[in-house]
Every structure is written in structure tokens, then in C-alpha cells.
Amino acid sequence: MTTKKILLSILLIGSFFSCGDYLDIVPDKIATIENAFANKNEAEKYLMTCYSYIPAHHEHTGNVGLMGADELWAYYPGSDFDPWMIARGQQNTNDPYMNYWEGRRGGRALYNALRDCNIFLENVEDTNKVPDLTSTMRQRWIGEVKFLKAYYHFLLFRMYGPIVIVDKNIAIDAPPLEMQKKRSSVDEVVNYIAGLLDEAYEYLPQEVTNKTEELGRITKPIALTLKAKLLVTAASPLFNGNSDYADFTDKEGVHLFNAEYDQNKWLKAAEACYDAIESCKLNNIQLYTFKSNDRLSDTTKIQMSIRNSIGEKWNNELIWGLSGRAVNNLQSVCMARIDPANLGNMWAAQERLNPTIEIANNFYTDNGVPLNEDKTWDYSGRYTSQVAGTQERFNLAEGYVTAKLNYHRENRYYANLAFDGSVWYMQNSRSGSDENTFTVKARMGQPQAKLGAYNYSVTGYWPKKLISWKFVLSSNSSTTEWFPWPELRLADLYLLYAEALNESDQTIAALEWIDLVRERAGLKGVNESWTTYSTKPDKFKTKAGLREIIQQERTIELAFEGQRFWDLRRWKTAATVLNQKIHGWDIDQEVPEAYYRPKVLFDQEFVAPRDYLWPLREESLYYNKSLVQNPGW
Amino acid sequence: MRKAQCIRFGSLFKTCILISLLMLFPFHLFAVNGINETSEELQQRIAVKGIVKDESDLPLAGVTVLVKGTTNATMTSTNGEYTLKNVPVEAVLVYSFIGMQTAEVEVKHQTSIDVVLKEDAVKMDDVVVVAFGTQKKESMISSISTVSPGDLKVPSSNLTTALAGRLAGIIAYQRSGEPGKDNADFFIRGVTTFGYKKDPLILIDGIESTSTDLSRLQPDDIQAFSILKDATATALYGARGANGVIQITTKEGKEGPLKVSVRFENSWSSNTSDIELADPITFMQMANEATRTRNPQEALPYSYEKIERTRQGLNPYVYPANDWREMLMKNTAYNPRLNVNISGGGGIGRYYVAASYNKDNGNLKMDKRNNFNNNINLETYQLRSNINLDLTKTTQAIVRLSGTFDDYTGPIDGGEAMYKKIMGTNPVLFPAYYPSSLQPQANHILFGNATRGVEGAGTSADYTNPYAEMVKGYTDYSRSQMDATIELKQDLRFITQGLNVRAMFNTSRYSYYSISRKYNPYYYAVGSYDKLTDSYTIAQINEKDNPTEYLDYNENSKDISSAVYIEAALSYNRQFNEKHDLGGLLVFQRREKLEANRGDLQKSLPYRNQGLSGRFTYAYDNRYMAEFNFGYNGSERFYKTNRYGFFPAVGAGWSVSNEKFWKPVSKIVSKLKFKATYGLVGNDAIGSEDDRFFYLSNVNMNDGGKSYSFGENFQYGKNGISISRYENRDIGWEKSYKSNFGMELGLFNDFEFQIDYFTEKRTNILMDRSVSPSMGLSAKVRANVGEAKAKGVDMSLDYKKMLPKNYWVQARGNFTYAHSEFLKYEEPEYNEKYRSHIGQSLNQQYGLIAERLFIDEYDVANSPRQTWSEYGPGDIKYVDMNGDGVITDADMVPIGYPTVPEIVYGFGFSAGNNRVDFSMFFQGSARSSFWINAQDTSPFDHKSPDDYNPYHRDVPLIKAYADNHWSESNRNIYALWPRLSPTLVRNNTDPRNTWFMRNGAFLRLKSVEVGYTFPEHMLRKLHVSSLRAYASGTNLLLFSGFNLWDIEMGGNGLGYPIQRVINLGVQVNF
């Protein structure tokens, strides 16, 4: 009897083992990509995904322009910033630095960005999807993502030249050959991006009205300015008739570079610049000038105009500020320990990015001409020193001995740089004004001298410009006023226009736009400055002379904004400029005579034409058999 | 904290109560039998006496004599005599003794019964635990290794450390000695997969378990331990058996009077070897050298004055020279272990109940300045209760309950992390603490620290002060694993003889939580120092970190999971005409596991599998054997069409020694058997464990990494959406085709030799496809495209001999060789043939061939360019294998042996008589390579430029590096360490290369044991039936070609060292 009971129970247990869908455990409503476009709220997240690939241009580790050339230096060993490795000649094919093709070594995966942009467009352009999205909003989003798609292509183009264009996504299960897309020629790439920007323009709003929530989103002036930049880049010597790449073909023998110089490209570029400037005018975008605070001297006000054109958030010169890339950490990384009350705070004032003597020497004299051209400036005695007097008190620490090099320089020199003997006005100035304010005294034994083996300026310069005047150093921390990274600003556009006009043989028209920028910096126009003070008074009258002036003006005006790195490449001057020694002051010295001796920090090597374009990673060439490596790599 | 100590004792007390309760339970149960007995009181009772002897006519002491079905029992004396009163005249007496076959004799009114007991050796080996059952060893044809549980008794609370070299077929090694985290890695016949699960399936009493469960198992509780290696042995486990199976059954109670066995051990553990560091003066000098040799213009990190004053031993607070290890670590840790088990039974049931308590201490010093003990203290309790109940004559119910409980207190981040902090701190920058007299008003310890790059007091505490790390707080964790199983067995002989049905239900619950309590230390640095008066002041430097004088607490991770397993089996075993042995088995099983903290919807879904398996065996006359097995399994990871897999296996065997023609030589060759098996086993543990469902895409609808923000104050932001897996409905089972050819050979009844040759072919291995980066895919595309094969040999040799005068000797050796190779591998068509993985071991490493160190700048300039970082004279020069003038990944060739040893072996012997025994066991491994972890051991600074974490480490200088490195004055291009550098030189440390490659072969004296068994006459008064005291040691000697640290730790030299243990123990049976 009991046996039967047991048997029955066993059978009963057995009946639990009813098979069927025991292994089908996945419930319905698991998130799929369809959910992303089910309503506006979710789709907006995908819009964020499209924006999220914008590189970390607000960080020295994410913006190759900051440390990749000769503007900013650091101590070594101990500063293995990926972008800086390019300046130090470490670029390679094994695992390239700042690899934006694949998203390695400091680079972002821009092809992933393009895939996401395309997924977004495929879905949002379909009006059956995201049903609660109004058509105006839909238009705008499409415009934004088309712009981003163009922007990511542009970033790739700027680095790699001929790139793989991704207009439509290729299916994951497509045959391997279809996935291995080849590179398009430079002209095709440029035309494609320009076309995309034109499309985006149609969809974009002129201006952001809801500033609280939408500042930083794409508008018409942004699209036009990027197009101007694209076309100027495409018209520049690197891409316009560059004979170095005359034999650069893909595996089917198609030329990837057009070796014929085309003057027309400059005309188109100038047109694009004009359109962009006009569009900016509509939004009242103009060169920034500092207005508040009556207690400041005129000198300081000019310098604040220069500094705040970057450091004041959402100032009216900004065309495209990267709201998702607001500058915070970089300020601390660049800051000097200027507050006498908190001299030991190396944690918040890290002093890790240091301008080189090379960039410092680019800034003009107070007459607005280069150091070695100014008839009135003691070029040969520049390393000797003298005591700063009262008249220099807004620029130089009164009564302090500093190099003659630091005297009689244009306001942008003092606004951009801090150095041994310089004055550094900040909003929290103890005196409440620019009198008796913070100073930098950096020779050994002085308050701002190198403290130890880390966090010090290796050159004796600090990039004042990158730090907001509202940055506050306390005893063991800091407060930072964040500002959006200035991806595109008006001064940049003016100078691009000037360049395009000059190259299109409209020299006189070009001067107007340079002078606007110089005026804000407190300088006289090119004509007046050169004619009066330069040893080469006619320089600006030739196309080549004015080109040189424009190039130096760009270097000065856009210093530490990550522009020079790209300019030197498109001008094809990198092979000269970046093949020189990098210098800093002899910072371990106490007396001025010993301190003001340029010390070689590094001997730069730029291999042309190899280094003009990025290498593709060796391994990735195996994954895509139709790719060719860039020349020289 | 005294209170904490009390709690510890309290919990010990609780354990005792629990043990007592458990002990009471069976007494209670079987007291019922007494009542039954009284009802038979009418029966006539007599006294029975006699002598029990063994086959060689020697009297046996300690033999249990029991009236069957009752608890009425006695034991024989030293001369083998016994007297048992109150025996019913029709009773049956049961004579049992360990190592002897149990004998049953009917009393039939006799008052004197002499018995001869036969040796049990044959019987112990007779039956082997196989998948879902047991098989007679004689007719077994699958490849299964077993080990006597006694051989697994090592003085460690971690059973996995005993596996290497004990069983043919196991590849094992131990990398860390930290209590609680010292599990050895082990594989059966090497590694032939590259999915996430490479280790075998572990079954404890048929229930899938983790290696931690295995590590906590008490050898005393193990009845049988076997590993299942070939296809016929593992096919029944279908989905999960591809990497082999470890099967353990725990003891069950045996009919008889109450037996109590107590084992108590004390062990002292210490590091097998301590890595030797350079002294503080050398450290500073070398740091200076490192700085200047890389950048002659750079300021020295340590002034000559500091070095000189430190050398003179002046003020130790201003010029500290710490030996952190000496300061914070003890040489030995003391660990007690207690194991108690009771067993017995009669009437309707049998019981086996065991409890154990282990305590593992770490070797951190306790500090009297602190009010809590920060040393690692891991207490493990185990309770196990196996009850067999005879419900009817043909029905048996088995209830198994077991619980394992770990209670831990220790340093905040655990022992390994603490050890690394101790071994990763600058010795000369700051003292552990300053005298409290400097700040009498402060109610905290004045810990030392320093600001990076600053001499004197700065504004941040940038270093790890290991002393502060140790005393600032502690972590408690608690882990419980509980298992409850009920099994019903029904003999269906009323239907047909030999038919059985069985059902099992098991559930296990796991929980883990961790809490830490700590304060934020106050750090100080010397502010000013007056050399003339030798007076100094200190200044607080970490104000911004908000130090505290009170404890804060943190709730750390919690882990909870539960599993339910059901199994039902129908089996049939019968012999016909004394020649035909027929067996059949059908098993249905189903398992579900839920994990509470998986952090992802898909991962939170239940883990399930189910399957139907079967085995059919046929043996003719114990000479010819044949077997067919199958597993039909489903896995929820695959799409419907690929979900189920059928995994069959066949085998055949021939016992030559059972043939008639063999008779003449059977005295010499007592056993000879050949066997062969072939079959298919599946594996669904492929890819990454996080990939739950290959057929579903995984979309993260809230990815913080894809966010962006807008607005005036950047405040309008949203997370983005990302895809981390694309759906793929084609992905299915990894398949393993295994074949095995074995031979068993017995010689002179003393030697037993077994050898198995095996091959394996794996197909459908999941691999990442290589896709053009311009596709922009955010997740890998994968397919079942890889193939691999493996082959190898495992063998064992046993020797057992009884010698005259109770002397005996045993020896055992075993050897495992397993080699794997890729057959198909998803890789591009490389220009360089050597880059291909085809034909290489699955654990083969690729790297650069380091030729030598660069001699000078000229040498650097005239050598191919190396692309990992800047480099110069004294850095490693690599060979340009493809001759393209650049050193890149394309120059990486297969270097060294695989990382998992291809050979693991062990051998040992034991000998003794009935008083003294001695045993010794060696274990070794060969054909493996390891790499000195150049990054972790690279001295001085390790701060990466993007590391904003203020706490970083200064790696100490290993003495061997200090003594033997390239320097400008001694340009030894074959020095042990390249040119010093204050930071990592990625050229040397990043690419895997031969410079830091070492041969992993070693042989170690794994264990030695001496035991003494006390004579019975000394014990009788104590009511003790046997008492053995023993001393043992593990990891006593090591032979290898590497001497920087214990070679078994591999490249992890600065990790928690493997322990050498000296152990004293007693085993008492009542």
C-alpha cells in the first residue's frame, strides 16, 4: 500500500515535468530598436546618441589641436597624453594615436557615430514612426542629425583626407565584399559633405529661442560656418592641387587626390564664408567686447574682451558652443598657483599645459607687427631684463625684473599668456580691481616657481586664455565657471573669409575682416600698422605677404583653441614649422640672466608628406581589403 | 574591539549549540527503535561471545558487533574478543570494521560465534560513481578517475588546492594564497573552449555547484570523488559536460551504533616565499638614477641630504625608512579547524550528520593603537545532515540538508588589495604615523602622508599609507549557501526484478552581503624641520578630503540567488543467466536559477536548462562490455530552431583477464582491460556569460555613455540609446567530439596501472567575425565558426602492499598531458604566416621576440622603429620578424608554452604499520609559460596622466631589479630589468615579449604527513575507540628555475603569496 503511495507521488512529481515552452523564458516587451522610435521622448534619447560622438574638444586628452602641434607642451616623462604623442613624433600604424576611424587611443569611433545618425534618419524621416513628433520638430531633428553626419564626415576628412563615405547603412548580414567599402576621392568627399550641409540648412532653425534648454543645438549659422570651414579646407594647399599625392590611388587605380590646382575652390569658399557671416549677422553674432566694471583700466578691458571671447559662457561671438563639452577640468589642468593665500594648491592648479616660447614669439609687439619686423622694438635685446615700472602695472608686476621680451607686446600676449613677471587679473582679485592684483613670479625661489617633480610649467608660460576669469582657487579645491567649448566662433570665420578673399585675389577686401579682429584686440589696422612700424611696410600688398600676415593673425587670435594644428596642415607649412626645436625658459634658475635663456625641450620632426594625414591602423586594413593606407605610412 | 571578539566567541558558541541540536535530532529519531524493541520483549535473550580475526588469523580490535535493527552493540578488544548481552536468539549479528567487508551472522541460539572478516579493499574499489548512478568498476568503460577522499585531506580549508596531481586528468594551479580567495584553477584535460566557462561541471550529490562550494567541502564528509572525462561518462550531462564533470557524493549513515568522529587541527601558515625588496637607501638612489637617466635636466626626487640623513638613521619621522611589510605583517598565521561527524542508524533509518568549523586568519599584524582587529578573519561553518529513511521495504527516502556559512572580517578591500597596498607604497616619503604628543589635542592617529611632488607639507594626501589603510576600518562579509534535497527511491521489483525509479528535488539558496565601516584618516606631513635642534612640526594636509574621527559605513554589494533542480530517473539493472548484465537508465532533469542582482533585464531572467538523458549498458560474462549514452538538452540561450541538441556516445570494452585463456598468467597479470569510447558532448556556455540570448538584440535604452546636454547652464540633458548586441538566430551549440582509448592493467595484485589516450575535436566554437571598422558596428558580429582539437594522455599507477607485522606501503603516481590546437580561427589572411592561430594551442601567447637591450643612441637610431612609446638606450630591442623596418603587432610570433600547463603530475607514497604512518606527496607541472608582470612590478611611479584619483601607488623596487638592470655606467644589454625610469616605459611593458617570459615548470613537495595511532588499551578508559595524532605540512619545498617569488603565482609576484602550512591534528573516534 505504502509502496503504491510512494509510486504515485513519484508519478505526480513526474507530471510536473510538462515540457512545452520551459526554455522560452524571454517575456514580451524586451526593448528593441523599435522602442527607440515609438515616441518623442525615446527618440530624443537617440538624438542625444547622435550628438554624443562629438569629440572631447574641451579636454587636452580629447582635442588633438591643443597639444598635437607646437603650442602647448608639458613635462616628460609623466604626461602621456595621446594627442601630445603626435607632437612628439610617436604616431604609428600599429595603434595610431587619436584614431577616430575606429575609436581607439583617445579617438572617438566616428563610423559608429555615422551608423547611429543613419539609423536615426531612417526612422525619423519615416513619418509613421515617432507619431507624437510634430512636423516642425521632426524637421529640426532631421536637420540636426544631417548636420552631425556632415560634421563627423568633416572631422574624418580633415584627418584622413579621402575617407569612406557612409550615406546609407550597410546591413550586418551583407556579403563581406559589400561591407568592405572603399575610400572616396577628396573632391567626392568634399562635395558630399557640402551637399549634406545644404540639406541640413533647409531643415534647421535660424536661432535657438528656448535658451535655457536648447543653447548648443544646431542652427543655420552653424551649418553655414562649418560649410565655410570645409570649403576653405578643401581649397587649401593640402587638398587643392597637392602634387605630393598625385600618385595616390586606390586598389582600382582611382586617384584619391586631384593634383590640379583649382582657383575656383577659393571663390566657392569665399562665398560660403560670406553666407555664413550674413547668417551670423541675423542672429546678432558679433565680436565680443567686455563691457562691465568701471573700475578696470582700458588695458585690462581690452584683455578681458580677448579672454572672455572664449571664457564667458554663451558670449555673443559664439557661433557653435559645445554645450555637452563644457570646459571644466581643462581650466584646472592649465591654472597656475597665483593666489598667494593658496600657494600649495597643486591639486586644483595643475599647471600641466604650458605654452612654448615658439607660440609666445608669434604674438605681435604693441604696434601690431611681428617682433622681428618692428622698427621700434629691441629685438636683439629681448632676452635681457629690466624692472617693470608703474606704466606697465596692468601687464607686468610692478618693480619686478623680467625679460624685455615681455615689454611692449600687444594685449593678446598678456591676455593669452601668463609668465614670470606677468599680472593675472581675476574676478576674485583681492583688491577688487586690476590694481595690485595676482601676479606670476616663477623663477626659482619665487612664489610660483616649480614646487616639485609634478604639476609645474615646464616652459615658464601658462595659457591664461583657457581659464575663465571666474575660476576661484581655494586652499584645497577650486570653483570653476564652466563655459561651452568654442567649436566655431566669429573671429575664426572672419579670418577664414579674409584668407579666402586674399587667395581669390581680393586683397583689399580681405584687410577689412582682419582689421575687425585686430580692432577688438586694441590694434590698428594692417595697413596702418605695417606702413608705420614694419621693416617690411609693403608686405600686406602682395598676396603672399598678406597670406603670411593672415596666417600669423590666425595663430595669435585662435591660440590654444585647437586651430593651429589643423591650419599648419592645410597650409602645408607643418613640414617647416613643426620641424624645429621646442623651447621653454630655464625654469630651475633664480636670476633673470640665467632664467631667460631658451632651453631646448624637444626636437620636433615632421615627416612630409607622411605626417599630413593620419595613418590607418595596420590591422584594420586586413578587415577591409579595399582600403589603401595613406602615403608614407 | 573587545565587543567584536565577544561576538566571534558568541558565534562559536552558537555553532556548538547547533551541532548539539543536530546531534540530538537523530537520537530522537532512532529512539523510536527502542520502543519497537520493547514490543518484542517476549523473545528469549542470550549473551553471545567470540573472537573476530582477519584472514591472516590475527585478532581484530575495534570491530563493531551489532544486533541488526537495534542499537545494541559492542566492540572487540585488542585480542579480538567480544561479549554482547541481551541478544534475541533469532537475531542477526553484524560485524563491521573499517577496511573490512561487513559480515552478518545469524545467531540461531549460538552463544559463541567466531568470525573472520575479509579485507574490504576490493569492495571499496568495486563501485564507481558515474553520471546519475553507480557502475561496477569491472564493467566500466568510460574514462573516470577517482581519488580516495583521504588523499584530499590537506591542512587547508580549501579543497580545490588539493586537486593538482592527485587525479589523472586534472590540470590545476593556484595563483593566490589569500584566505577565502585561494581557489585553485582547475580544468579537466586542459582547455579546449574559449567560451566563458572553461572549468568543469561540479556536481555535489548530483547538484550543480560552484568551485567555491567545492572548496568548502570537508574531505571527511566525502564518500566518493571522481572526475568524468570522456564522452560516454559526460554525454548524459549533454549541455554542460563538455569540459568534464567532477562528481562528489557525500557520506551516508550506515546501520550500527552511534559513531562519533572528531578531527581537530591547528595549522600555522606562512608565505612560501617573500619577494625581496631593495632597502630604502637603494630605493632612493635608484629613483634618482631613474629620473636622471631619462631626463638629465630633471630635478632629483630625493636630495643627497635626505639620502644621507636617512642612511644615518636620523629622526625617523622626518627621514622615514619603512619596511612596510615588516611593520604590518606577521610571519605566521594560526588557523584552527574542527570537524565533527556522527553517524549510525538502525531500524528504518540511517544518519550522517557533520559539522565543521574552520577559521582562517590572515597574516596582518594587529595594532594596539587601534580598537578593532583588521586582520583577515574568515570563519567557515558547515553543517550537513544526510538521513536515509526506509519508508517501506522497497522505498527509501533520502533527505540531505547542508549549509555553508562564511563570516569574514578583514581589511576594507580584502587581503589581496591590502597586501598590494603594503607592497606598493613608497618606503621613504612618510612614516606610518607621527607621535601623538605632537598634537595632544587631536583625538585621532596622526597618519603620515605626502603631497605628490612636494617636499614638505602640501595640500593633499596623494599616497596610500598602508598603515592607515589597515587601521581605518574593516569589512564584514557574510556568505551562506544552503541546500535542501529530498530524494525518493522506489524499487519496482514487484513489476520486474532490477527496475527502480527515483525522483529528486533540490533547492539551493545563496546569499552574500558585505558591509564596511571606516573613518577617513587625518594625514599629516612634516611642515618644518630644524636640523640644528632636530625639532619638527607637522601640518595636516588632507583637509579637503574631510577627514573624520568617527566611523562611517558603507553597504557594499549584495548577492542573492536561488536555484531549483528536479530530476527523475528510471533505471533497470539485471543479470540474466549469470552471463548477461543488462542496464538501462532514463533521466529527466530540469534546473532553474535566478539571480537577484544582475543589473540588466535580460540577465535578470531565469537561467534554465532541461534535458533527457539515457544510458544502456550490456556486459557479457564480465568479458565484453558495450554502452550507449545520450543527452538531449535544451538551452534557453539559443533561438527555437537551434535550442535542442542531441548528444550521443558509444563505448565498448574487453576484459582480457576475465577470459579463460588468461588463467595461466592471471597470477602475474591480474587484470587487463581495454576500452574505447566515442561521442558528442555539447556546450552552451559560449561567448560571454553576459550574453544571455544570442537571438535577441540588447538595446540599452538609457546609456549614460551616450548622453549630451544643452542649455544655458548645460542642464538639459538625456542619456542616449545604444546597442550592445545584434540579434543572431543562427548561433547554436558548441560541439565536442571526444574519443578515448584506455587500458587497465593489474600486476601481481599489487600494481594497478591505468592509461587513457584521448582526442577531442571541438566545432561550432563561437567567434567574433572581423568586420570592416567603417561599418560602424557598436557590437561584435559573431558566429559558430571556430574549430579546435585536443589530444593527450592521462595515466595513473598505484601500488599497494601489505607487509608482515602489520606493515604496509602504498605508492601512487599520476600524470596528465593535454595539448590543444586551433583548426579554424576567424582571422584575416595575414601576410605573415606566423601570425595565424591555426595549429597553435588555444592558450598560446603571441609576442615580440626581445633580442636584447639597446646599447646606445646609435643602436636605437639604426634599428627598426618600435611603436609602443618613446624609448632609448637600455630599453628592449625587438626583432623585426617581417623585415618591414617597423616593429608592430605584425612582428608578434607565438612565444613560449601555453599559459595553462600542458603537463601536471603528482606522485607520492605512504607507509606505516598500525601505529605509525608516514606519507609524502610531490606535485609538479610542466610545459607552461608565464610572464613577469612588468607593469605591476615596474618600480616607482604609476600615475597615468588621466588618473585624477589622488591615491596612487609607488611601486617598490624589487631587489633583483636594483641589482641587475641596465644603467649608463653598466650597459648590460642582457640585464634582468631594462633602464630604470620614473614612470612606465610602455615600449618595455606593453607589448607581450620574451624578455619577461619564464618557464612555468616546477616540482613541489606538496605535502608530508606523519601520524601516530594510539594503542587501544590506552584509550579504552576514555571510551575512545581510536585516536590518531598527526603532523603535516604543505608546500614545503619548491624546485623551479625561477626565484623571485613562488612560481605557482605566475606573473602576479606582488600578490598575496601562496601559503606554506604546518599542521598538527588529532582524529578521535568514539
Side-chain angles (χ1 to χ4, degrees), chain A residues 2-3 17 22 25 41 44-45 49 61 88 91 94 115 212 215 313-314 323 452 476 618-619 623, chain B residues 392 453 490 544 566 606 608 701 709 711-713 716 718 721 770 775 830 835 865 870 888-889 946:
Chain A
T2 34
T3 309
F17 305 155
Y22 182 72
I25 54 173
N41 198 25
E44 193 177 13
K45 290 193 207 158
T49 299
T61 48
R88 294 182 69 90
Q91 187 58 292
N94 193 48
R115 190 171 192 90
T212 324
L215 271 178
K313 71 176 176 189
W314 305 116
S323 51
N476 48 40
E618 196 173 52
E619 197 76 6
Y623 296 141
Chain B
T392 72
Q490 176 64 51
K544 74 178 164 68
I566 41 183
R608 282 182 180 172
M701 297 293 291
S709 52
E712 195 158 6
N713 292 311
Y716 184 81
K718 275 193 170 180
I721 293 172
S770 36
M775 284 288 289
Y830 290 119
R835 294 188 75 184
R865 187 166 169 251
E870 291 175 37
T888 63
D889 288 350
D946 307 319

Side-chain angles (χ1 to χ4, degrees), chain A residues 490-611:
Chain A
L490 195 61
D492 179 14
L493 179 58
Y494 280 0
L495 292 174
L496 287 177
Y497 190 32
E499 185 179 343
L501 288 172
N502 181 47
E503 298 298 334
S504 319
D505 300 310
Q506 303 173 63
T507 317
I508 304 302
L511 289 180
E512 179 193 340
W513 301 98
I514 310 168
D515 290 351
L516 278 172
V517 173
R518 289 171 67 91
E519 191 188 332
R520 191 256 306 269
L523 295 176
K524 297 278 187 296
V526 171
N527 187 336
E528 189 183 342
S529 299
W530 257 265
T531 315
T532 322
Y533 298 106
S534 176
T535 51
K536 300 171 185 167
D538 296 332
K539 188 175 175 183
F540 66 91
K541 290 174 183 164
T542 64
K543 187 175 177 177
L546 187 57
R547 179 186 296 143
E548 218 175 277
I549 291 170
I550 292 169
Q551 291 185 353
Q552 188 160 358
E553 194 72 44
R554 269 190 79 81
T555 297
I556 298 167
E557 179 62 28
L558 303 172
F560 317 132
E561 292 178 46
Q563 300 294 342
R564 178 173 163 84
F565 177 89
W566 300 107
D567 286 341
L568 293 176
R569 279 168 168 74
R570 67 181 176 85
W571 293 329
K572 273 189 81 182
T573 54
T576 327
V577 179
L578 301 183
N579 252 330
Q580 293 172 5
K581 292 186 172 66
I582 297 287
H583 295 88
W585 297 124
D586 199 348
I587 55 163
D588 294 319
Q589 303 299 329
E590 279 179 36
V591 292
E593 301 81 61
Y595 183 91
Y596 288 111
R597 278 185 312 209
K599 189 169 85 173
V600 175
L601 296 175
F602 194 77
D603 192 358
Q604 278 197 306
E605 191 188 14
F606 188 96
V607 181
R610 185 192 77 179
D611 289 337

